Amino acid sequence: MALLLFLLLISLFIIGVPIAFSLGLTSAVTVWHGDLMPLLVIAQQLIASVNSFPLMAIPFFILAGYLMQSGGISQRLVDFSNTLVGSMTGGLAMVAIVTSLFFAAISGSGAATTAAIGSILIPAMLSKGYLITHVDQPPPRQSFLY
């Protein structure tokens, strides 16, 4: 049975099936061939693993970030933060951090903060002449502020 498992897995890798599908298909075939448990258990475990509240919350937090961006809250926070620290040296990078502090307090989610603030400040920082190696640092790190 172990030989079937490894041969099927390697053959699926060779023909280019994605890893997640290869692992799932190999496991299902091995369980079916070895008659280890009913196939209904595999379907139940698939549904049970997807029915997770934290897993469902992540896309909704990102959606909340995009809604706040389209509603103008993100731009207002950027403007407010720009008046606080924008005149200092490296002000736009500091604006990204201060805006993230406020936005994380409002949304309560690091993913929503990165989605909403990063989509505004990354193009702004690139247009002001910041190097791409410096631009990609503040927005992903700002999600850890919450």
Side-chain angles (χ1 to χ4, degrees):
M1 188 166 357
L3 183 63
L4 169 71
L5 179 75
F6 288 115
L7 287 177
L8 184 59
L9 186 64
I10 297 299
S11 63
L12 287 174
F13 285 162
I14 289 172
I15 64 172
V17 177
I19 294 173
F21 292 118
S22 298
L23 291 173
L25 186 62
T26 303
S27 301
V29 168
T30 305
V31 167
W32 174 72
H33 180 70
D35 201 25
L36 299 174
M37 64 183 77
L39 289 179
L40 182 63
V41 174
I42 294 174
Q44 288 174 343
Q45 289 299 317
L46 278 171
I47 299 300
S49 66
V50 175
N51 191 14
S52 167
F53 181 74
L55 188 62
M56 293 183 336
I58 292 170
F60 289 121
F61 278 130
I62 293 172
L63 174 67
Y66 283 122
L67 290 176
M68 289 180 187
Q69 176 193 1
S70 67
I73 294 173
S74 302
Q75 188 60 47
R76 289 187 198 126
L77 284 173
V78 169
D79 294 340
F80 176 69
S81 299
N82 197 22
T83 59
L84 291 177
V85 295
S87 61
M88 298 178 190
T89 303
L92 198 52
M94 286 192 275
V95 166
I97 301 300
V98 172
T99 304
S100 299
L101 286 171
F102 288 123
F103 200 88
I106 292 170
S107 70
S109 167
T113 302
T114 303
I117 303 302
S119 61
I120 292 175
L121 286 174
I122 289 175
M125 291 173 83
L126 285 174
S127 69
K128 294 285 185 181
Y130 282 78
L131 297 174
I132 190 69
T133 56
H134 295 109
V135 170
D136 63 355
Q137 297 299 320
R141 289 187 182 167
Q142 67 196 348
S143 66
F144 295 113
L145 292 176
Y146 176 71

